Every structure is written in structure tokens, then in C-alpha cells.
């Protein structure tokens, strides 16, 4: 016996010979909130459907608490499922929807009533039991769908982009609620999304998927700080990605010669001579005063401000540091006195630890 | 320009509606005619002819028609749902061919079908089923394509995610059919069943070959009567059966259509 609620062992799936998921290995411990994050069409839904049992893997094994599920139909896997389009039963009231799972199991009426009330309370919809789904807002419908999935107390809840039909404000509120519900019920959540902010906000762990395979997995913070590949750096958060012509190991730092320019950046990430690119987060670049002494390990780059975009909380600058090479820099609006003029010359400071070496 | 178009539009609608309802209005007027000739004098009318409807001559055929139409609606409802289920939901092999086969009776003229059925029955030595059993069988053949088509359309529009949601909640296939699929396609099936009832109740071209003398359906009784006389009783029979059909449509609307409007659709 092991402590993994869900394990995917070398799982692959092809549709009509076209591989969609390739040799996926994933272990999800009990009680963890795991997000599968990836661009549209990368195989997230297919993966979730294989866990739920609606797709059969072409190869490999899906295990729930150590037990292979390949021959178990979806209705006997005891996993909760929340759909993007809610999929509420329109001919049943909210209470009937939420009680459906228990009713199908033949649970006594009184118990169903209690479970329905508890589930509705946990999604803050008490008193809505006698309404029909049509008479609810999108956010309320989504919460009914959630209540319906958790009412039978499955050990694992699978969610496929459950918030993507909601507006931004509601989405942000629901993120917090989802996380709270997950912690309260101590359930394992597998959450599929293409929205990296959503994944960052809720997950204990993020699995970044690309073209049917796992590109990187880890805690949200470490994925953000240390993206392993060009794809992850680009997809998770915003990045300046620079091509590296040559990397020279120094005594303390690696020196990265940026392709097509005379620029050499110091990085304290362990790279090797095969490094082809590096990334710098826009918010880790600082604007230096000309008077700052040019000492220390910090990289200094001079450039010309080519574009200024006000994003509300931040101001985004596009600074041309060399012919054909511009860096995006994010400056908090609160320090708007520092925001330079268009076409003015600025000096950028980049810590060596913020220059992240990418493996491809 | 736009105004002209709008006027033409409403004029066209008015013409069509007049064209459809005027003959009906004439029949209603004729049934109220005070003289035994079919005339209409708006200042003099009587309902005396409606009294004749309760005579056996009309009541028996009416009851037979209702009986046959009810059985036909039931049988074709069940068969249509089963066929649509197999073809659309289970996607059994050859479903396109099966569907085409089920809809094929639509392409044969009813008279031809009637003759064919009579010949077929006499070839296999089963003339004895002429009358009610043959009528029911023939009407089912006639009505089945409509019911199947409507049930199939409802099933095709059925949101598969509902089925999967139910499945993830532990519902077995039987439970899903009972609690999710059937309730969701009920409005479509009920419309199909309503059609089946009306098709059977009004049918002449098939029935005319299959009724037994002295034991006819209402439309055949009307035809027989018309051969000898055209009088206000005739008109009264037609008005009564028209009202009956409207009542049937209304009833089915109440059962299925109403709830469909309230919470139907899968969005
Ligand atoms: N039943 C199917 N038959 C053939 N191809 C399929 C089928 N289902 C999915 N695919 C293909 O598999 C790939 C992955 O699909 P999937 O639905 O898993 O993507 P996704 O990551 O969930 O994307 P999205 O974010 O857009 O929902 C897509 O290219 C899709 O076209
Ligand atoms: Mg998807």
C-alpha cells in the first residue's frame, strides 16, 4: 500500500493513431491540490478523462490508491467530477441535483437530506435547494455543480476548467473558496486549467503539460522562480527569453553571451556550455539611478525606453538594450516618480540570481 | 421600403391563415345549419345535429378510432424510443442503414402500402387479422418514422456531459436512462407520440383497405356516409373530431411541453 491517491504509470493515449498523451508519469498524494496546467489542446482533458474512466489509456496504467482502474467503469471509481459547463440536470431542483449521487447509491432519505444541506452550506448556497438550475447565475450554477460532486464524499475530485465560464471577479473569489473547501474536506483535488494565475493561486503543486507530456512539475513558487524550459518560462508568468550563443563558466558566475549582441550576463544558475537560452522575469529587473556605483555582481544594461504601457498597479516598459533586443520591465505604479520618459536613456539592473538558465 | 415589406409580410401571414382556417370555419358554420341542406344563415342556427353524434353509427367508429390510435401511439412510442436509443445513444453498427430502413415507409404512397399489406396478408393466409389487428400494425408502420425521427433528434441534442456527470456520481446505465436520458428526451418523444395518435386517428388511405365491413374507423365511416349524403350531421362529425384532436394535442402539451418550457433544454 502507498499513500498516493492517484498514480499514472507510463500512460499514453492516441486518437486514431495520433498521440495525444505520451508516456505520462504522475503521482498525486492524498489531500493534495494538484493543478494540471497547459495550453489548449495539450491533452489536459484527455488525461483527466483517463483518470475518471471516460477514456481508456492506449498504454500504461491508471491507479487509484494503488489499485489499477483499467477495468473499472467510471460509475464505480468513486471520483467526483466538475465540468466546465456545469452539466447540471435541468429537470431537477438544486437539492435533487446535489442529492443525485447518494440517491443512486440507495442512501436513506434522511441521510441524503442532511448531506445535501451540508454540501450546499459548504458552497454557501443554503436556501437554494428548491430552485431549478435555470434560475441561478453562472457562479451559483458552478457552486451547485461543486456541491453535487462533493455530496457523496468522493476521496478525489477532478475539476476540468470549472471557472472558465465565469467573469474575472467571480473567478478570483471562487479560487479562494475552492481552496478553502478543499482544505476543509481534506479531499484530493486534480484541477485542470490553462490559466496560470488560477493554478498559482490554489495549488500545492503544478504539473505543467505540453504536447501530451509533462514539461515540469513542482510547487507554484519554484515553477515560477526556476522554470526548467523555454516553454515553461514563456507559459507560466511573463518572461524575457534571450537566446544564448555561448556560456562560459567563471569562478563565481556563469557568463552568458547573448545571441546577436555584445551583451554578457552573469548568472548564478548552474548551466553548461549547451545552454541555449535564459529568462529574466520583468519584475526582477530594476531601474538604477545613474549615480549608483557600478560595482558588485549586478548586471548593468543601458537602454532606451521604446514603449510605456500603464497596467494599473504596474507600468510596463519596453527597453531596447541592443540592436534588435528589447527587455520588458515591470515597475510598480506606486513608484511612478521613477517612471522615465519615452525615448529617454535608462540603466537596468539585473541580479545574477534572477537570470535563469533554461534547458532548451 | 421597409414599411412596404412589413405590410406584405403580414398580408402573406393573414392570407395563409385565412386559407387554412376558412374551410374549417365553413364546416363549423355548416354544422350549425338549421335546414338539412348544408347552408349557413348567420341569424338562424341550431345545435340539433350534434345530438346525432351519440348514435351508434358515429359513436362506435369513434371509439374504435380512439382505441386504435391510442394503441398505435403507445406501440410506436416504445418502438421509436428503442430504435432511436440503439441508433443514436448506443451507436450500434450499421446505425445509418437501420435509420434509413426505419424511415423508408415515408417514401411509399399510402395507397400502395395499403394494397401491399392486403396482398401480403392474403398470400400468407392471414386475412383473418383484417380489422383492428391489421389496422394497428399498418398504422404503426406509418407512424413509426415520425416517432423515431423525433426521439432520435432529441437524443442527438442530448448533452452527453449530463450522462457523464451522472455516471461520475455512480449512476449505472439503467439509472441514467431512467433518471436522466428519458426525462430529457420526453418532450420530443411526446410530440412524436402525439403525431402518431393523429396520423392513426385521421388515416383514410391505409384504413380503407383494412377495415372490416360494419366495424370501421371514424374517417372511413365519414367516407361511407358521404357517398350517399352531404348534410349538417356530416359537418358536425368533422367539427367534433377536430375538437377532439385539439384536445389531444393540448393534453400532450400539458404533460410534456409544459415542463419542457419551464426547465427543459440542457444549457
Ligand atoms: N475523441 C477525440 N478524437 C480525436 N482527437 C481528440 C479527441 N479528444 C481529443 N482529441 C485531440 O486531443 C488533443 C488534446 O485534447 P484535450 O481535450 O485533452 O485538450 P485540452 O488540453 O483539454 O485542451 P483545452 O484547454 O482546449 O480543453 C487535441 O488536439 C484534440 O483535438
Ligand atoms: Mg479541455
Amino acid at each position: 500500500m502507498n499513500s498516493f491517491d492517484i498514480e499514472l504509470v507510463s500512460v499514453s493515449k492516441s486518437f486514431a493513431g495520433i498521440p495525444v498523451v505520451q508516456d505520462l508519469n504522475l503521482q498525486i498524494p492524498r489531500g493534495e491540490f494538484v493543478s494540471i496546467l497547459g495550453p489548449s489542446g495539450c491533452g489536459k482533458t484527455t488525461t483527466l478523462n483517463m483518470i475518471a474512466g471516460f477514456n481508456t489509456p492506449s498504454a500504461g496504467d491508471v491507479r487509484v490508491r494503488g489499485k489499477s482502474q483499467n477495468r473499472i467503469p467510471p460509475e464505480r471509481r468513486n471520483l467526483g467530477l466538475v465540468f466546465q459547463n456545469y452539466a447540471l440536470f435541468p429537470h431537477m431542483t438544486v437539492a435533487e441535483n446535489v442529492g443525485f449521487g447518494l440517491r443512486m447509491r440507495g442512501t436513506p432519505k434522511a441521510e441524503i437530506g442532511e448531506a445535501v444541506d451540508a454540501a450546499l452550506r459548504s458552497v454557501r448556497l443554503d436556501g437554494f435547494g428548491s430552485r431549478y438550475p435555470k434560475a441561478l447565475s453562472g457562479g451559483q450554477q458552478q457552486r451547485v455543480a461543486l456541491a453535487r460532486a462533493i455530496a457523496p464524499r468522493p476521496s478525489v475530485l477532478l475539476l476540468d476548467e470549472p471557472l472558465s465560464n465565469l467573469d474575472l471577479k467571480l473567478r478570483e473569489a471562487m479560487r479562494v473558496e475552492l481552496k478553502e473547501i478543499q482544505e476543509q474536506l481534506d479531499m484530493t483535488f486534480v484541477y485542470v486549467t490553462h490559466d496560470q494565475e488560477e493554478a498559482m493561486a490554489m495549488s500545492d503543486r503544478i504539473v505543467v503539460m505540453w504536447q501530451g507530456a509533462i514539461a515540469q512539475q513542482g510547487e507554484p513558487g519554484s515553477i515560477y522562480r526556476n522554470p526548467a524550459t523555454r516553454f515553461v518560462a514563456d507559459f507560466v508568468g511573463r518572461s524575457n527569453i534571450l537566446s544564448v550563443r555561448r556560456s562560459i563558466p567563471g569562478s563565481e558566475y556563469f557568463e552568458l553571451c547573448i545571441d546577436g549582441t555584445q551583451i554578457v550576463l552573469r548568472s548564478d544558475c548552474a548551466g553548461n556550455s549547451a545552454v541555449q537560452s535564459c529568462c529574466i522575469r520583468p519584475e526582477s529587473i530594476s531601474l538604477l539611478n545613474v549615480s549608483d556605483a557600478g560595482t558588485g555582481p549586478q548586471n548593468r544594461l543601458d537602454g532606451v525606453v521604446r514603449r510605456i504601457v500603464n497596467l494599473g498597479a504596474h507600468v510596463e516598459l519596453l527597453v531596447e538594450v541592443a540592436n534588435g533586443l528589447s527587455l520588458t520591465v515591470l515597475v510598480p505604479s506606486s513608484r511612478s516618480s521613477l517612471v522615465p520618459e519615452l525615448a529617454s536613456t535608462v540603466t537596468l539592473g539585473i541580479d545574477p540570481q534572477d537570470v535563469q538558465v533554461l534547458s532548451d | 421600403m421597409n414599411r412596404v415589406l412589413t405590410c406584405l409580410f403580414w398580408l402573406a401571414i393573414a392570407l395563409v391563415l385565412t386559407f387554412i382556417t376558412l374551410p374549417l370555419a365553413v364546416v363549423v358554420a355548416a354544422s350549425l345549419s338549421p335546414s338539412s341542406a348544408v347552408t349557413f344563415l348567420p341569424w338562424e342556427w341550431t345545435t340539433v345535429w350534434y345530438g346525432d353524434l351519440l348514435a351508434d353509427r358515429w359513436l362506435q367508429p369513434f371509439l374504435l378510432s380512439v382505441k386504435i390510435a391510442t394503441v398505435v401511439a403507445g406501440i410506436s412510442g416504445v418502438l421509436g424510443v428503442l430504435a432511436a436509443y440503439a441508433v443514436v445513444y448506443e451507436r450500434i453498427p450499421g446505425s445509418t442503414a437501420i435509420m434509413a430502413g426505419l424511415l423508408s415507409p415515408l417514401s411509399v404512397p399510402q395507397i400502395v402500402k395499403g394494397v401491399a399489406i392486403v396482398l401480403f396478408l392474403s398470400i400468407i393466409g392471414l386475412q383473418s387479422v383484417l380489422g383492428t389487428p391489421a389496422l394497428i400494425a399498418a398504422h404503426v408502420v406509418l407512424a413509426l418514422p415520425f416517432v423515431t425521427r423525433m426521439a432520435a433528434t432529441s437524443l442527438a441534442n442530448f448533452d452527453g456531459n449530463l450522462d457523464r456527470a451522472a455516471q461520475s456520481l455512480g449512476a449505472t446505465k439503467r439509472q441514467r436512462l431512467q433518471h436522466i436520458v428519458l426525462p430529457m428526451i420526453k418532450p420530443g418523444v411526446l410530440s412524436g407520440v402525439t403525431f402518431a395518435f393523429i396520423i392513426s386517428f385521421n388515416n383514410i388511405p391505409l384504413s380503407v383497405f383494412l377495415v372490416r365491413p360494419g366495424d370501421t374507423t371514424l374517417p372511413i365511416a365519414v367516407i361511407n356516409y358521404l357517398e350517399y349524403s352531404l348534410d349538417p350531421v356530416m359537418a358536425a362529425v368533422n367539427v367534433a373530431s377536430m375538437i377532439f384532436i385539439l384536445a389531444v394535442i393540448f393534453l400532450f402539451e400539458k404533460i410534456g411541453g409544459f415542463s419542457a418550457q419551464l426547465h427543459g433544454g440542457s444549457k
Side-chain angles (χ1 to χ4, degrees), chain B residues 12-99:
Chain B
I13 288 186
L15 276 176
V16 169
L17 285 180
T18 312
F19 186 71
I20 292 174
T21 51
L22 208 55
L24 301 181
V26 169
V27 176
V28 173
S31 75
L32 300 170
S33 160
S35 79
S36 67
V38 174
T39 55
F40 181 59
L41 309 164
W43 52 91
E44 253 179 276
W45 51 274
T46 171
T47 55
V48 65
W49 309 111
Y50 284 87
D52 281 22
L53 300 187
L54 294 177
D56 269 0
R57 145 167 239 175
W58 298 117
L59 199 58
Q60 288 305 336
F62 171 75
L63 290 178
L64 182 67
S65 279
V66 171
K67 187 174 92 182
I68 290 174
T70 308
V71 175
V72 166
I75 293 178
S76 52
V78 171
L79 291 182
V81 169
L82 288 177
Y85 167 79
V87 169
V88 180
Y89 187 89
E90 295 288 352
R91 293 208 192 92
I92 57 170
S95 34
T96 321
I98 294 172
M99 200 58 175

Side-chain angles (χ1 to χ4, degrees), chain B residues 115-127:
Chain B
V115 174
I117 291 173
V118 173
L119 282 178
F120 175 70
L121 289 178
S122 72
I123 288 170
I124 64 170
L126 267 181
Q127 290 103 317

Side-chain angles (χ1 to χ4, degrees), chain B residues 87-171:
Chain B
V87 169
V88 180
Y89 187 89
E90 295 288 352
R91 293 208 192 92
I92 57 170
S95 34
T96 321
I98 294 172
M99 200 58 175
L102 282 169
L103 301 186
S104 65
L106 286 176
S107 55
V108 183
Q110 288 192 40
I111 301 269
V112 177
K113 251 183 303 205
V115 174
I117 291 173
V118 173
L119 282 178
F120 175 70
L121 289 178
S122 72
I123 288 170
I124 64 170
L126 267 181
Q127 290 103 317
S128 58
V129 301
L130 282 179
T132 308
L135 281 168
I136 289 176
H139 287 184
V140 165
V141 170
L142 195 61
L144 196 53
F146 291 92
V147 187
T148 310
R149 191 69 237 182
M150 295 208 114
T153 308
S154 305
L155 262 182
N157 290 336
F158 170 73
D159 177 4
N161 273 337
L162 295 183
D163 203 39
R164 274 186 274 174
Q167 201 172 2
S168 77
L169 288 164

Side-chain angles (χ1 to χ4, degrees), chain A residues 36-111:
Chain A
I36 299 180
L37 174 66
S40 188
C42 73
K44 306 181 297 289
T45 299
T46 306
T47 306
L48 205 70
N49 278 339
M50 285 193 286
I51 299 176
F54 295 120
N55 281 341
T56 317
S58 314
D61 199 9
V62 174
R63 296 184 192 151
V64 175
R65 282 181 295 284
K67 197 160 166 272
S68 171
Q69 302 287 303
N70 280 359
R71 294 174 162 278
I72 300 182
E75 62 264 34
R76 291 207 276 113
R77 293 196 181 188
N78 197 23
L79 307 171
L81 201 51
V82 181
F83 293 85
Q84 178 178 352
N85 66 353
Y86 322 135
L88 296 176
F89 307 132
H91 59 296
M92 297 183 195
T93 62
V94 167
E96 285 167 342
N97 264 283
V98 176
F100 185 83
L102 292 170
R103 206 145 30 99
M104 294 304 107
R105 260 156 250 211
T107 313
K109 264 214 163 69
E111 252 175 77

